[in-house]
Amino acid sequence: MPLLLQGGFFAALLGAASAWDIKKRIIPDSICLGVALTGLLIFEPMKLFGILAAVPFLLAALVFGGMGGGDIKLMAAAGLVLGLQKGIAAIIMGLTGMLAFHAICFIVQKLRGRDAPKAYPLAPFLSLGCLAAYFLI
């Protein structure tokens, strides 16, 4: 029962983060805090290492730029719920989904004679990866 309760809160908050990111291109800190607090519903000390799942995003932002802090905070918070192994799996699935989406958009836009978008909100893809990792792995 606690697993479903945590999963429900996790899914709702990730949905909210995705909606905010799509609409306003930001992820409110309050949503990230809510995701992190969701990790306390079923606390396991080893899941604290899940914060490290956000390190690649932090490094990418510092080295290359172009990534918002909300994505980094969202993955750090989700890492507290998922743990490190599932957090990494979530990132892989989320970014793979984004690449597939971009490939489809690129092909469709080229067929229409337009340029494909250069950037997408990342939270929806990361959220799908997080939910897949939470419920499927």
Side-chain angles (χ1 to χ4, degrees):
M1 184 66 164
L3 191 64
L4 288 176
L5 181 67
Q6 183 185 46
F9 282 126
F10 192 46
L13 289 164
L14 290 174
S18 298
W20 271 88
D21 201 21
I22 290 168
K23 198 171 201 174
K24 301 190 181 203
R25 293 293 183 113
I26 61 166
I27 303 168
D29 289 343
S30 58
I31 293 175
C32 294
L33 178 61
V35 171
L37 291 174
T38 300
L40 294 177
L41 291 174
I42 304 174
F43 180 73
E44 298 173 22
M46 285 300 294
K47 287 192 177 177
L48 291 173
F49 288 106
I51 290 174
L52 297 175
V55 170
F57 291 102
L58 177 61
L59 293 174
L62 292 173
V63 174
F64 302 109
M67 179 178 295
D71 298 316
I72 300 165
K73 290 183 271 188
L74 181 65
M75 279 314 301
L80 291 173
V81 176
L82 297 171
L84 183 58
Q85 185 176 0
K86 286 185 177 185
I88 291 170
I91 290 168
I92 292 168
M93 289 186 281
L95 293 179
T96 300
M98 185 185 75
L99 287 172
F101 181 80
H102 176 70
I104 292 167
C105 284
F106 182 82
I107 292 167
V108 168
Q109 295 297 7
K110 287 298 175 186
L111 291 173
R112 292 180 175 175
R114 300 180 191 159
D115 289 331
K118 302 267 188 260
Y120 303 96
L122 191 53
F125 300 103
L126 293 176
S127 294
L128 288 174
C130 287
L131 291 174
Y134 186 86
F135 288 108
L136 301 176
I137 297 178

